[in-house]
Short mmCIF file of all heavy atoms in Angstrom, two decimals:
data_model
loop_
_atom_site.label_atom_id
_atom_site.label_comp_id
_atom_site.label_asym_id
_atom_site.label_seq_id
_atom_site.Cartn_x
_atom_site.Cartn_y
_atom_site.Cartn_z
N VAL A 14 19.11 12.20 1.05
CA VAL A 14 18.32 11.98 -0.16
C VAL A 14 18.12 10.50 -0.44
O VAL A 14 17.05 10.09 -0.87
CB VAL A 14 18.98 12.70 -1.37
CG1 VAL A 14 18.23 12.41 -2.65
CG2 VAL A 14 19.05 14.19 -1.10
N SER A 15 19.13 9.69 -0.17
CA SER A 15 18.99 8.26 -0.46
C SER A 15 17.91 7.63 0.41
O SER A 15 17.17 6.76 -0.05
CB SER A 15 20.31 7.53 -0.29
OG SER A 15 20.71 7.57 1.07
N ASN A 16 17.78 8.06 1.67
CA ASN A 16 16.71 7.54 2.52
C ASN A 16 15.35 7.99 2.02
O ASN A 16 14.38 7.23 2.07
CB ASN A 16 16.89 7.99 3.98
CG ASN A 16 17.94 7.18 4.70
OD1 ASN A 16 18.32 6.11 4.25
ND2 ASN A 16 18.41 7.70 5.80
N MET A 17 15.27 9.23 1.55
CA MET A 17 14.00 9.72 1.02
C MET A 17 13.62 8.97 -0.24
O MET A 17 12.45 8.64 -0.44
CB MET A 17 14.09 11.22 0.77
CG MET A 17 14.16 12.02 2.06
SD MET A 17 14.48 13.79 1.89
CE MET A 17 13.45 14.29 0.56
N ASP A 18 14.59 8.68 -1.08
CA ASP A 18 14.32 7.93 -2.31
C ASP A 18 13.83 6.52 -1.99
O ASP A 18 12.89 6.03 -2.61
CB ASP A 18 15.57 7.85 -3.19
CG ASP A 18 15.88 9.16 -3.89
OD1 ASP A 18 15.00 10.05 -3.91
OD2 ASP A 18 17.01 9.29 -4.41
N SER A 19 14.46 5.87 -1.03
CA SER A 19 14.06 4.51 -0.70
C SER A 19 12.68 4.50 -0.04
O SER A 19 11.89 3.59 -0.27
CB SER A 19 15.09 3.81 0.19
OG SER A 19 15.13 4.38 1.46
N LEU A 20 12.38 5.53 0.75
CA LEU A 20 11.05 5.63 1.35
C LEU A 20 10.00 5.83 0.27
O LEU A 20 8.94 5.19 0.29
CB LEU A 20 11.00 6.78 2.36
CG LEU A 20 9.67 7.02 3.05
CD1 LEU A 20 9.25 5.79 3.86
CD2 LEU A 20 9.76 8.24 3.95
N PHE A 21 10.29 6.70 -0.69
CA PHE A 21 9.36 6.92 -1.79
C PHE A 21 9.16 5.64 -2.59
O PHE A 21 8.03 5.29 -2.95
CB PHE A 21 9.88 8.04 -2.71
CG PHE A 21 9.01 8.29 -3.90
CD1 PHE A 21 7.79 8.92 -3.75
CD2 PHE A 21 9.40 7.88 -5.16
CE1 PHE A 21 6.98 9.14 -4.85
CE2 PHE A 21 8.60 8.10 -6.26
CZ PHE A 21 7.38 8.73 -6.10
N ALA A 22 10.23 4.92 -2.87
CA ALA A 22 10.13 3.67 -3.63
C ALA A 22 9.30 2.65 -2.87
O ALA A 22 8.46 1.96 -3.46
CB ALA A 22 11.52 3.11 -3.92
N GLU A 23 9.50 2.57 -1.56
CA GLU A 23 8.73 1.63 -0.75
C GLU A 23 7.25 1.99 -0.75
O GLU A 23 6.39 1.12 -0.88
CB GLU A 23 9.27 1.62 0.68
CG GLU A 23 8.61 0.60 1.56
CD GLU A 23 9.21 0.55 2.95
OE1 GLU A 23 10.32 1.09 3.17
OE2 GLU A 23 8.54 -0.03 3.83
N MET A 24 6.94 3.28 -0.63
CA MET A 24 5.54 3.72 -0.65
C MET A 24 4.91 3.41 -2.01
O MET A 24 3.76 2.97 -2.08
CB MET A 24 5.46 5.22 -0.36
CG MET A 24 5.79 5.57 1.08
SD MET A 24 5.97 7.35 1.37
CE MET A 24 4.40 7.97 0.83
N PHE A 25 5.65 3.64 -3.08
CA PHE A 25 5.16 3.37 -4.42
C PHE A 25 4.85 1.89 -4.60
O PHE A 25 3.78 1.51 -5.10
CB PHE A 25 6.18 3.84 -5.46
CG PHE A 25 5.78 3.56 -6.87
CD1 PHE A 25 4.91 4.40 -7.53
CD2 PHE A 25 6.28 2.45 -7.54
CE1 PHE A 25 4.53 4.14 -8.84
CE2 PHE A 25 5.91 2.18 -8.84
CZ PHE A 25 5.03 3.03 -9.49
N LEU A 26 5.77 1.03 -4.16
CA LEU A 26 5.58 -0.41 -4.30
C LEU A 26 4.42 -0.91 -3.43
O LEU A 26 3.64 -1.76 -3.86
CB LEU A 26 6.86 -1.16 -3.95
CG LEU A 26 7.99 -1.00 -4.95
CD1 LEU A 26 9.27 -1.65 -4.42
CD2 LEU A 26 7.61 -1.59 -6.29
N ASP A 27 4.29 -0.37 -2.23
CA ASP A 27 3.17 -0.75 -1.36
C ASP A 27 1.84 -0.41 -2.01
O ASP A 27 0.91 -1.20 -1.99
CB ASP A 27 3.27 -0.06 0.00
CG ASP A 27 4.33 -0.65 0.90
OD1 ASP A 27 4.82 -1.77 0.60
OD2 ASP A 27 4.68 0.00 1.90
N LYS A 28 1.75 0.79 -2.59
CA LYS A 28 0.50 1.19 -3.25
C LYS A 28 0.23 0.33 -4.47
O LYS A 28 -0.91 -0.09 -4.69
CB LYS A 28 0.59 2.66 -3.67
CG LYS A 28 -0.58 3.11 -4.53
CD LYS A 28 -1.27 4.29 -3.99
CE LYS A 28 -2.38 4.83 -4.86
NZ LYS A 28 -3.40 3.93 -5.26
N ALA A 29 1.26 0.03 -5.25
CA ALA A 29 1.07 -0.80 -6.44
C ALA A 29 0.60 -2.20 -6.04
O ALA A 29 -0.31 -2.76 -6.67
CB ALA A 29 2.37 -0.89 -7.23
N LEU A 30 1.19 -2.76 -4.99
CA LEU A 30 0.80 -4.09 -4.53
C LEU A 30 -0.63 -4.07 -4.01
O LEU A 30 -1.43 -4.97 -4.31
CB LEU A 30 1.75 -4.59 -3.45
CG LEU A 30 1.46 -5.97 -2.87
CD1 LEU A 30 1.49 -7.02 -3.96
CD2 LEU A 30 2.44 -6.30 -1.77
N ARG A 31 -0.99 -3.05 -3.25
CA ARG A 31 -2.34 -2.92 -2.71
C ARG A 31 -3.36 -2.81 -3.85
O ARG A 31 -4.39 -3.48 -3.85
CB ARG A 31 -2.42 -1.69 -1.81
CG ARG A 31 -3.76 -1.49 -1.16
CD ARG A 31 -3.70 -0.26 -0.23
NE ARG A 31 -4.96 0.00 0.37
CZ ARG A 31 -5.91 0.76 -0.18
NH1 ARG A 31 -5.68 1.35 -1.34
NH2 ARG A 31 -7.06 0.94 0.42
N ASP A 32 -3.06 -1.98 -4.84
CA ASP A 32 -3.96 -1.82 -5.99
C ASP A 32 -4.11 -3.14 -6.75
O ASP A 32 -5.22 -3.50 -7.19
CB ASP A 32 -3.46 -0.73 -6.94
CG ASP A 32 -3.57 0.66 -6.33
OD1 ASP A 32 -4.23 0.83 -5.29
OD2 ASP A 32 -2.96 1.60 -6.90
N PHE A 33 -3.01 -3.87 -6.91
CA PHE A 33 -3.05 -5.16 -7.59
C PHE A 33 -3.93 -6.15 -6.83
O PHE A 33 -4.75 -6.85 -7.43
CB PHE A 33 -1.63 -5.71 -7.75
CG PHE A 33 -1.59 -7.10 -8.31
CD1 PHE A 33 -1.75 -7.32 -9.66
CD2 PHE A 33 -1.41 -8.19 -7.48
CE1 PHE A 33 -1.72 -8.59 -10.19
CE2 PHE A 33 -1.38 -9.49 -7.99
CZ PHE A 33 -1.54 -9.68 -9.35
N GLN A 34 -3.76 -6.20 -5.50
CA GLN A 34 -4.55 -7.13 -4.68
C GLN A 34 -6.03 -6.78 -4.76
O GLN A 34 -6.88 -7.67 -4.86
CB GLN A 34 -4.07 -7.09 -3.22
CG GLN A 34 -2.69 -7.66 -3.02
CD GLN A 34 -2.64 -9.17 -3.17
OE1 GLN A 34 -3.49 -9.79 -3.78
NE2 GLN A 34 -1.60 -9.76 -2.62
N ILE A 35 -6.36 -5.50 -4.71
CA ILE A 35 -7.76 -5.08 -4.78
C ILE A 35 -8.35 -5.49 -6.12
O ILE A 35 -9.47 -6.03 -6.18
CB ILE A 35 -7.88 -3.56 -4.55
CG1 ILE A 35 -7.61 -3.24 -3.08
CG2 ILE A 35 -9.25 -3.04 -4.98
CD1 ILE A 35 -7.51 -1.76 -2.76
N GLU A 36 -7.63 -5.26 -7.20
CA GLU A 36 -8.13 -5.63 -8.53
C GLU A 36 -8.32 -7.14 -8.64
O GLU A 36 -9.32 -7.62 -9.20
CB GLU A 36 -7.16 -5.14 -9.60
CG GLU A 36 -7.66 -5.35 -11.00
CD GLU A 36 -6.72 -4.77 -12.05
OE1 GLU A 36 -6.02 -3.79 -11.76
OE2 GLU A 36 -6.69 -5.33 -13.17
N LYS A 37 -7.39 -7.90 -8.09
CA LYS A 37 -7.48 -9.36 -8.12
C LYS A 37 -8.73 -9.84 -7.35
O LYS A 37 -9.47 -10.70 -7.84
CB LYS A 37 -6.22 -9.96 -7.50
CG LYS A 37 -6.20 -11.46 -7.45
CD LYS A 37 -4.94 -11.96 -6.77
CE LYS A 37 -5.05 -13.44 -6.50
NZ LYS A 37 -4.15 -13.90 -5.47
N ILE A 38 -8.95 -9.28 -6.19
CA ILE A 38 -10.11 -9.67 -5.38
C ILE A 38 -11.40 -9.30 -6.10
O ILE A 38 -12.36 -10.08 -6.11
CB ILE A 38 -10.05 -9.03 -3.98
CG1 ILE A 38 -8.88 -9.60 -3.19
CG2 ILE A 38 -11.36 -9.24 -3.23
CD1 ILE A 38 -8.58 -8.85 -1.91
N GLN A 39 -11.43 -8.13 -6.72
CA GLN A 39 -12.63 -7.72 -7.46
C GLN A 39 -12.94 -8.67 -8.61
O GLN A 39 -14.11 -9.00 -8.85
CB GLN A 39 -12.47 -6.28 -7.98
CG GLN A 39 -12.54 -5.25 -6.88
CD GLN A 39 -12.21 -3.84 -7.35
OE1 GLN A 39 -11.47 -3.65 -8.32
NE2 GLN A 39 -12.75 -2.86 -6.66
#
Side-chain angles (χ1 to χ4, degrees):
V14 176
S15 65
N16 282 344
M17 290 172 44
D18 286 346
S19 69
L20 179 61
F21 178 73
E23 185 177 344
M24 290 170 57
F25 178 81
L26 290 173
D27 285 346
K28 172 125 176 55
L30 180 59
R31 182 178 178 272
D32 291 348
F33 174 78
Q34 292 289 21
I35 288 172
E36 186 176 331
K37 179 182 170 201
I38 293 169
Q39 288 173 334

